């Protein structure tokens, strides 16, 4: 622009005129000049055509040509510095470019040119400038009665007022005229001129430093007119100028206030109060308010400027607030507290890391006294409240003293102190959120017995403010949350702390803080005198914080075990014991101080909710079991339900409030609270078992289904929780029956059918739905997973046992399934033309059914039930036989389509037993190329041999010293002291070194000898067994149930494949199973129950006995003798599930529940250890709505058949027999550890339960994880064995 011609000037004028003409409507609609400036400044954000204006294009091109190379160079430097980690606080790209010489020259040239252009544009207004003095006087007249109310903007100015563009000479003259030595009239006229000048010109001028000094001095002028106009100028500057300019204005105002408070003139006392109608006080407040408004606005822009600019603003503020006045004198922070009582300025300043580091650094190095004063103010207020409460006097609640008289514009001394207290409380609450803020503690105070105040001390103080500060009346519960009361402020702060993980760990999770929270609770429990304002609301607030703490893993651990679990003192119970004892007393109405309270049910519900947060977890439930809280809640519900039965039926059309009293509504609400509390016991296996003992299972499930139907649960976490509860319920027969009777299953099936077959009627179809490309459409995935969670073997047996498939000759298109049997009939067993024709989406729906069948048949007991009752294999084979091409020569080739591929996979899965290396399952996808499906299909048995993997040849047996030593120990008739432990250590040694040799006859001898010895020891015998004489070996197959007969066939087929059995060993297995049943029947009790599983013999097949039969190479008599001795041991209860079927060794309540100890003991502890050892896996299960207990029960019930190879199954049985029943739990944890990455991946893919049920445990070897299991034993054995031995204890 050094060669700027008249043509360039004309061009620029034209472009600038076009821009102004385009935005004319926006500007003329602005209420003030400042607003018009704001519109122009933010035009890029608001005008979509901004970049199309010729003037903008011209500027962009000019900047790019001038400093484009500099920008590129500096960008590259910044990128390199960031990669090397050398990023400074303020050395930003913008600053680097703007500080270059080239940029400064460009801006200077551009400014000169634009001044010429603008000057020519405003020449036509020259006559207005000649009349400037007249306009000044007129304006002065118009404004003389204005009251300066809005210091953020000059709201009473008009856009039609002219700007006074001033040259440097004029500005210098203006500075001279504003000198305090000048006459008053001259200064006033100069101020008037200043107010009309553009702030940017003033701040950029060379005269600004001198002008700033004059303005700062004039702020102290006794004539209010001066400060009024200066504040107007400052306000206009703040609203229309960039931060790099306004910072100087701000610092000068802050410095003026600081000097004022330090001057001898200042003499405002706290005790005298503050009259804001006083002119001097009003002026002072306006200055502080202007300062505060800028404090809240500045953070939105200061990140775009060098850090030193922001530091100037921060330091000037902290310096002002740290002014020390004599005692009883009002300091600057009092005035700031009146205008910004919740310290919003500090919240904004510490929100971003960029400014927070500067603020906290300055507080630490120079202005820590500000923090000390805030802490001191909180302590003083607390002492005032505490002394008043202890004297039984009423503390006047300053926070609620609203000015009913609008003319009352004064503050008393206590009100000023209270405002400062609130400001201090909010500032400290914000400070403690950040790690750097917490480093400012401890602080040291003067004139105190304990001068050092730590973070814990401060948190204890906050908590004590909850119950010592003034309160509302008992009925005004909701009101105080919206006020400035200490309780609501402290609650707000503590709730924020609970949400911040790091902050909660360093501040809240301390024994001293928990003790402070529990102080009123412990006082009520011990019956000591309690000086607390409004005890009910205090308890509700305390419960709210405790519940939030219990909702987080670390917080829950603190409540359960204390701050330091290892050093916990026995004589000082942890928080959980205090909470549960108090909750029980509340439920029994055993707290005299609270009797008759209107909001007692709310207090009860709040403390029940804390307990609920704890007993929803396995470790929390373990701590609560001795207190029998489930009984207390159950009894309370029964009492309440009797009252609610008296509620009259609402009359149609009548007002509900007139037909049901408020009291009875509260009773119904309390009843729902109790049911919800009981329902949440079922989040864990043992909790579900305890829930059954209360007799409220059906009511709880009905409540859950009702809540879900009304869509009351919108919280995502609660949705996961409900899915987990349904999964736990479905794993037990009583839970499955309750789900059926509540209507949950009917609703699930109906919803599924609507998604598969009907679509949504209430949506207008504007375009056709896309054809599903996945085997199971995404819309049906959730229902599919819910069905998988629901259809465990205990549930399947209760829902399908002895029920025939409808097989109707005709199905209406409007006939919607309502039960599981209908799903099997309509989606799986499509054995008639009528069923196929009844489906709108035949292929999609049938694939859904086949996929469901595939998952169900992974549970071998379910497979046996479906096969014996419905002949599933035959139906699928017939369908395959019919799915061939038509040829004149006879049967053609199989048609390869989605359905035939699915059927082929299911047929192979249900007819082959074997681990990952023992069977080959065909894939369910087509390959690319000429042979898309290389797997042979079939329509009759036997299966093609390609699906049977070759058994690896056994390695030649080599003598092993460790094994010989173990065998010699077992064969020796003399048993030395500690013989059992020696054998176990020797066994571990062999397992680690040569696991492959622990198989076949060697394994049979090892377990036979070891169990024989244990069964002769009184200490090792857990069950007493009578004498039993084996039946004749000639046992007829007809005496076995169809399920057992089919199980025998499968076992023998598997045994032959493994070369462990011969042709005639089937009789030996039948002999074994019949004798086992007879033998165990001697130890069974008669039970009258509606549950199918308790009406007759054991519901499933005896997979453990069959496994031992294979280990013993088909010797039935030898196996029976082993099992008889084995049945004395505790481990038999957990390895051999039929052992405890309706057993007299279990309490009658346990038997009647139909819940096996493997579920409520082993599986429960698997979930507990999983959370501690593999937290990511535990979280993955929770997010998927699936439970570790369900899959573990499936694995254990079928002795890991189909999941592990035979050698690993043998090792699983061996380690449990040799090393103890708790190794069953360690085994499951090891499997989950092996699968961790797969579990996380499939949780993300939302098919975790499908993966765990369908997939074998590839690559898992028991011996590889034996050391890990030993490490778990060292930590958990004592607790686990104690719980396992307690299965005979009555749980009521």
């Amino acid at each position: 622009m050094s060669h700027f011609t008249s043509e360039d000037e004309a061009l620029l004028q034209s472009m600038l005129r076009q821009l102004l003409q385009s935005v004319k409507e926006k500007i003329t609609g602005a209420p003030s000049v400042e607003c018009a400036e704001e519109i122009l400044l933010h035009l890029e954000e608001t005008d979509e055509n901004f970049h199309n204006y010729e003037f903008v294009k011209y500027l962009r091109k000019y900047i790019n040509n001038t400093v484009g190379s500099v920008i590129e160079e500096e960008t590259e430097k910044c990128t390199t510095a960031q990669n090397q980690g050398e990023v400074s606080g303020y050395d930003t790209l913008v600053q680097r470019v703007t500080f270059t010489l080239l940029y400064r020259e460009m801006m200077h040239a551009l400014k000169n040119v634009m001044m010429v252009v603008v000057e020519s544009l405003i020449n036509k207004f020259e006559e207005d400038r000649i009349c400037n003095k007249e306009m000044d006087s007129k304006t002065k007249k118009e404004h003389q009665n204005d009251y300066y109310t809005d210091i953020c903007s000059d709201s009473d100015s008009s856009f039609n007022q002219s700007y006074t563009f001033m040259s440097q000479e004029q500005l210098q003259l203006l500075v001279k005229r504003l000198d305090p030595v000048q006459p008053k009239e001259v200064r006033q006229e100069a101020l008037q001129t200043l107010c009309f000048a553009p702030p940017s010109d003033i701040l950029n001028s060379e005269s600004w430093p001198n002008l700033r000094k004059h303005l700062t001095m004039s702020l102290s002028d006794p004539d209010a007119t001066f400060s009024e106009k200066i504040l107007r100028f400052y306000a206009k500057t703040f609203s229309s100028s960039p931060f790099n300019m306004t910072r100087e204005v701000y610092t000068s105002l802050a410095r003026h206030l600081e000097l004022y408070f330090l001057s001898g003139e200042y003499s405002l006392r706290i005790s005298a109060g503050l009259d804001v109608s006083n002119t001097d006080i009003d002026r002072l407040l306006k200055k502080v308010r202007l300062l505060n408004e800028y404090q809240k606005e500045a953070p939105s822009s200061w990140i775009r400027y060098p850090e030193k600019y922001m530091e100037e603003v921060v330091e000037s503020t902290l310096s002002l607030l740290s002014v020390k006045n004599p005692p009883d004198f009002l300091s600057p922070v009092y005035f700031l507290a009146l205008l910004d009582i919740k310290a919003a300025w500090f919240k904004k300043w510490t929100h971003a890391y960029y400014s927070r580091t500067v603020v906290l650094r300055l507080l630490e190095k120079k202005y820590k006294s500000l923090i000390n004063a805030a802490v001191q103010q909180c302590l003083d207020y607390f002492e005032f409240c505490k002394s008043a409460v202890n004297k039984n006097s009423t503390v006047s609640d300053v926070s609620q003293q609203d000015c009913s008289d609008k003319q009352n514009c004064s503050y008393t001394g206590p009100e000023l102190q209270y405002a400062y207290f609130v400001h201090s409380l909010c500032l400290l609450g914000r400070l403690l959120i950040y790690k750097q803020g917490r480093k400012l503690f401890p602080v040291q105070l003067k004139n105190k017995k304990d001068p050092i105040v730590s973070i814990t001390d401060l948190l204890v103080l906050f908590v004590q403010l909850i119950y010592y500060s003034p309160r509302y009346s008992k009925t005004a519960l909701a009101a105080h949350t919206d006020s400035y009361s200490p309780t609501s402020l402290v609650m707000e702060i503590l709730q924020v702390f609970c949400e911040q993980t790091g902050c909660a760990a360093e501040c809240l999770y301390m024994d001293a803080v928990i003790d402070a929270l529990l102080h009123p609770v412990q006082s009520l429990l011990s019956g000591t005198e309690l000086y607390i304002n409004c005890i009910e609301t205090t308890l509700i607030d305390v419960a709210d914080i405790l519940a939030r703490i219990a909702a987080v893993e670390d917080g829950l651990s603190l409540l359960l075990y204390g701050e330091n679990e290892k050093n916990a003192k026995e004589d000082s119970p942890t928080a959980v014991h205090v909470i549960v004892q108090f909750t029980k007393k509340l439920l029994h109405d055993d707290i005299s101080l609270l009797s008759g309270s209107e909001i007692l049910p709310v207090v009860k519900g709040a403390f029940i909710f804390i307990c609920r947060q704890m007993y929803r977890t396995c470790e929390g439930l373990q701590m609560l079991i001795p207190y029998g809280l489930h009984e207390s809640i159950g009894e309370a519900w029964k009492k309440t339900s009797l009252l609610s039965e008296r509620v009259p039926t609402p009359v149609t059309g009548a007002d509900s409030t007139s037909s049901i009293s408020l009291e009875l509504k509260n009773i119904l609400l309390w009843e729902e609270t109790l049911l919800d509390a009981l329902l949440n016991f079922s989040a864990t296996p043992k909790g579900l078992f305890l829930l059954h003992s209360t007799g409220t299972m059906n009511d709880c499930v009905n409540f859950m289904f009702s809540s879900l139907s009304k869509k009351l649960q919108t919280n995502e976490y609660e949705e996961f929780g409900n899915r987990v509860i349904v999964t736990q319920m479905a794993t037990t027969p009583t839970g499955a029956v309750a789900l059926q009777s509540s209507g949950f299953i009917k609703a699930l099936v109906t919803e599924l059918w609507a998604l598969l077959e009907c679509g949504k009627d209430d949506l207008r179809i504007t375009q056709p739905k896309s054809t599903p490309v996945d085997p199971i459409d995404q819309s049906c995935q959730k229902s599919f997973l819910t069905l998988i969670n629901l259809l465990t073997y205990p549930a399947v047996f209760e829902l399908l046992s002895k029920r025939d498939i409808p097989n109707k000759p005709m199905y209406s298109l409007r006939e919607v399934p309502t039960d599981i049997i209908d799903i099997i009939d309509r989606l799986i067993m499509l054995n008639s033309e009528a069923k196929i024709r009844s489906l709108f989406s035949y292929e999609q729906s049938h694939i859904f059914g086949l996929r469901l069948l595939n998952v169900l048949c992974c549970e071998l007991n379910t497979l046996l039930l479906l096969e014996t009752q419905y002949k599933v294999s035959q139906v699928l084979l017939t369908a395959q036989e019919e799915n061939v091409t038509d040829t004149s020569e006879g049967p053609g080739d199989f048609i390869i389509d989605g359905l035939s591929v699915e059927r082929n996979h299911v047929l192979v899965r249900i007819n082959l037993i074997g681990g990952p290396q023992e069977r080959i399952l065909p894939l369910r996808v087509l390959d690319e190329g000429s042979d898309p499906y290389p797997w042979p299909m079939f329509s009759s048995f036997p299966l093609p041999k390609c699906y049977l993997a070759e058994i690896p040849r056994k390695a030649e047996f080599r003598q092993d010293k460790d094994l010989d030593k173990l065998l010699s120990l077992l064969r020796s008739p003399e048993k030395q002291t500690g013989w059992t432990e020696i054998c176990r250590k020797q066994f571990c040694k062999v397992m680690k070194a040569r696991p492959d040799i622990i198989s076949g006859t060697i394994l049979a001898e090892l377990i036979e000898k070891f169990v024989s010895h244990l069964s002769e020891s009184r200490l090792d015998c857990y069950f007493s067994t009578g004498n039993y004489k084996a039946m004749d070996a000639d046992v007829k197959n007809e005496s076995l149930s169809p399920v057992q007969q089919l199980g025998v066939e499968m076992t023998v087929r598997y045994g032959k494949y493994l070369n462990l059995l011969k042709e005639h060993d089937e009789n030996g297995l039948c002999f074994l199973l019949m004798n086992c049943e007879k033998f165990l029947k001697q130890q069974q009790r008669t039970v009258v129950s509606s549950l199918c599983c308790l009406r007759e013999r054991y519901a499933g097949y005896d997979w453990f006995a069959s496994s031992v039969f294979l280990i013993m190479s088909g010797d039935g008599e030898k196996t029976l003798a082993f099992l008889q001795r084995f049945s004395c041991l505790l481990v038999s209860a957990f390895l051999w599930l039929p052992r405890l079927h309706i057993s007299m060794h279990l309490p009658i309540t346990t038997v009647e529940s139909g819940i096996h100890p493997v579920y409520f003991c082993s599986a429960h502890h698997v979930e507990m250890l999983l959370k501690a050892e593999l937290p990511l896996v535990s979280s993955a299960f929770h997010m998927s709505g699936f439970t570790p207990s369900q899959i573990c029960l499936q694995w254990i019930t079928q002795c890991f058949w189909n999941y592990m190879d035979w050698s690993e199954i043998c090792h699983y049985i061996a380690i449990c027999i040799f090393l103890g029943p708790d190794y069953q739990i360690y085994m499951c944890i090891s499997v989950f550890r092996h699968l961790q990455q797969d579990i996380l991946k499939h949780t993300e893919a939302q098919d975790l339960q499908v993966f765990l049920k369908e997939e074998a445990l590839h690559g898992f070897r028991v011996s590889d994880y034996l050391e890990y299991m030993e490490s778990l034993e060292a930590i958990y054995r004592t607790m686990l064995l104690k719980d396992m031995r307690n299965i005979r204890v009555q749980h009521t």
Side-chain angles (χ1 to χ4, degrees), residues 753 756 784 787 791 800 805 807 820-832 835-836 839 842 845-857 862 866 870-877 879 899 903 906 910:
W753 193 260
L756 273 176
F784 179 68
L787 274 176
L791 295 177
L800 299 180
I805 284 191
N807 278 330
I820 299 301
I821 192 75
D822 296 331
I823 291 292
I824 294 174
D825 182 40
R826 302 288 298 277
L827 298 181
I828 297 175
M829 305 289 288
L830 296 182
N831 51 0
S832 70
K835 293 181 183 179
I836 295 173
L839 298 175
Y842 161 62
S845 298
H846 191 26
I847 286 178
F848 182 97
L850 291 172
R851 287 277 172 137
L852 179 62
L853 175 65
N854 191 62
V855 179
L856 293 181
C857 289
T862 302
L866 295 177
Y870 308 128
K871 311 298 180 192
V872 175
S873 293
Q874 193 54 51
V875 172
L876 297 180
L877 288 171
L899 291 173
R903 282 193 292 261
V906 175
I910 66 181

Side-chain angles (χ1 to χ4, degrees), residues 992-1230:
K992 291 173 187 176
R994 295 282 305 280
D996 53 304
I997 61 176
I998 299 184
S999 61
T1001 55
I1002 292 176
L1003 174 61
E1005 183 179 358
L1006 288 176
I1007 62 174
E1008 187 181 16
K1009 298 285 186 186
F1010 190 71
V1011 167
S1012 176
H1013 167 74
L1014 293 181
S1015 63
E1016 294 168 2
S1017 167
R1018 277 190 175 186
L1019 291 175
D1020 293 309
C1021 283
Y1022 182 79
F1023 298 110
S1024 57
T1025 57
N1027 295 322
Y1028 174 76
K1029 186 178 180 182
M1031 288 168 41
D1032 199 0
D1034 187 17
V1035 179
K1036 295 183 179 180
N1037 292 2
E1038 287 75 22
S1039 57
L1040 295 174
S1041 69
V1043 167
Q1044 288 176 315
Q1045 290 179 36
L1046 184 58
V1048 167
E1049 289 178 24
M1050 293 175 71
T1051 303
V1052 171
R1053 194 161 62 239
Y1054 184 45
K1056 288 179 180 177
Y1057 164 73
L1058 295 171
N1059 296 320
L1060 296 174
L1061 299 182
K1062 298 176 183 175
E1063 288 296 328
H1064 304 292
D1065 284 336
E1066 185 173 334
N1067 288 335
L1069 183 53
C1070 293
F1071 161 82
L1072 171 67
L1073 294 177
M1074 280 300 303
N1075 279 284
C1076 283
E1077 191 173 319
K1078 295 285 184 184
F1079 164 65
L1080 294 176
K1081 198 165 187 179
Q1082 294 178 350
Q1083 303 170 49
Q1084 291 173 353
R1085 62 169 90 229
T1086 304
V1087 179
V1088 178
S1089 174
S1090 59
L1091 294 176
C1092 298
C1093 63
L1094 299 181
R1095 291 178 189 169
E1096 44 190 59
R1097 56 178 64 171
Y1098 178 67
Y1101 181 69
D1102 194 339
W1103 297 103
F1104 177 75
S1106 299
S1107 300
V1108 178
F1109 181 75
L1110 294 184
I1111 291 172
M1112 300 294 180
S1113 301
D1115 189 333
E1117 292 183 1
K1118 187 177 178 181
T1119 305
L1120 180 62
F1122 169 82
L1123 290 174
Q1124 284 181 269
R1125 290 191 291 272
F1126 180 70
S1127 66
C1128 302
L1129 308 179
L1130 175 63
V1131 68
S1132 68
F1134 299 96
L1135 277 184
W1136 189 14
L1137 269 69
R1139 168 75 185 86
L1140 291 182
H1141 177 60
I1142 56 175
S1143 173
M1144 62 174 61
H1145 300 296
L1146 295 177
I1148 184 63
T1149 52
T1150 305
V1151 173
E1152 288 174 344
S1153 71
I1155 303 174
H1156 199 281
V1158 165
Y1159 176 71
F1160 70 74
C1161 189
S1162 292
H1164 175 83
H1165 286 297
V1166 168
E1167 291 199 1
M1168 185 164 74
L1169 267 64
L1170 194 65
K1171 191 173 179 182
E1173 297 294 323
L1174 302 168
L1176 289 178
V1177 175
S1178 179
S1179 298
F1181 270 102
H1182 186 81
M1183 289 183 67
S1184 67
F1186 193 47
T1187 59
S1189 55
Q1190 187 179 111
I1191 190 64
C1192 287
L1193 183 63
Q1194 181 171 325
W1195 289 339
I1196 292 167
T1197 302
Q1198 61 197 55
C1199 279
F1200 286 93
W1201 282 41
N1202 277 357
Y1203 289 102
M1204 296 196 298
D1205 293 326
W1206 174 245
S1207 60
E1208 300 307 316
I1209 293 172
C1210 292
H1211 291 163
Y1212 158 67
I1213 293 172
I1215 64 168
C1216 290
I1217 291 174
F1218 268 91
L1219 304 180
D1222 52 327
Y1223 268 76
Q1224 181 181 71
I1225 297 168
Y1226 311 144
M1227 174 79 177
C1228 292
I1229 297 295
S1230 300

Side-chain angles (χ1 to χ4, degrees), residues 715-891:
N715 184 290
E716 190 176 18
Y717 182 85
E718 288 293 333
E719 184 185 347
F720 291 142
N722 282 328
R723 282 157 57 190
V724 166
I725 286 173
V726 170
T727 306
Q728 296 285 20
M729 291 268 188
T731 314
T732 64
T734 49
V737 171
L739 289 169
Q740 171 84 340
S741 60
S742 71
F744 178 84
I745 293 177
K746 179 181 178 181
L748 173 64
V749 172
T750 306
E751 182 186 5
L752 168 63
W753 193 260
L755 293 169
L756 273 176
E757 287 290 313
C758 304
K760 294 184 177 180
D761 296 333
D762 58 341
L763 292 179
R764 182 179 177 184
I765 299 176
T766 56
Q767 60 182 20
K769 288 175 65 178
S770 58
T771 304
V773 292
D774 297 320
I776 296 176
D777 189 52
Q778 193 64 35
S779 63
C780 305
Q781 182 73 9
K782 188 175 179 180
S783 299
F784 179 68
L785 297 177
T786 306
L787 274 176
I788 291 172
N789 293 349
L790 182 68
L791 295 177
T792 62
Y793 179 67
V796 168
F797 189 78
E798 294 300 322
L799 301 177
L800 299 180
S801 180
K802 297 184 179 178
R803 289 188 64 186
D804 295 329
I805 284 191
N807 278 330
K808 298 178 184 178
M810 202 173 165
Y811 291 87
S812 166
L813 291 174
R814 295 181 179 275
E815 194 172 341
V816 177
T818 58
D819 201 354
I820 299 301
I821 192 75
D822 296 331
I823 291 292
I824 294 174
D825 182 40
R826 302 288 298 277
L827 298 181
I828 297 175
M829 305 289 288
L830 296 182
N831 51 0
S832 70
E833 198 68 25
K835 293 181 183 179
I836 295 173
R837 287 179 178 174
S838 70
L839 298 175
F840 287 110
S841 309
Y842 161 62
E843 186 169 348
Q844 180 189 353
S845 298
H846 191 26
I847 286 178
F848 182 97
L850 291 172
R851 287 277 172 137
L852 179 62
L853 175 65
N854 191 62
V855 179
L856 293 181
C857 289
C858 294
E859 194 159 6
L860 292 178
N861 281 333
T862 302
L863 167 61
L864 295 178
L865 181 69
L866 295 177
E867 187 65 25
T868 53
Q869 286 193 184
Y870 308 128
K871 311 298 180 192
V872 175
S873 293
Q874 193 54 51
V875 172
L876 297 180
L877 288 171
T878 303
Q880 290 292 75
E881 188 177 3
E882 294 172 354
N883 194 45
V884 294
T885 56
D886 294 328
T887 61
S888 56
E889 300 174 359

Side-chain angles (χ1 to χ4, degrees), residues 775-776 784 847 850-855 858 897-898 900-906 909 921-927 932-933 935 1250-1251 1254-1255:
I776 296 176
F784 179 68
I847 286 178
L850 291 172
R851 287 277 172 137
L852 179 62
L853 175 65
N854 191 62
V855 179
C858 294
D897 58 15
S900 61
V901 168
E902 291 289 339
R903 282 193 292 261
N904 194 53
H905 181 89
V906 175
R909 182 182 289 277
L921 296 175
L923 299 178
R924 290 180 284 189
V925 294
L926 300 181
D927 297 331
Y933 192 74
W935 307 95
V1250 178
F1251 164 73
E1254 286 189 347
E1255 289 299 317

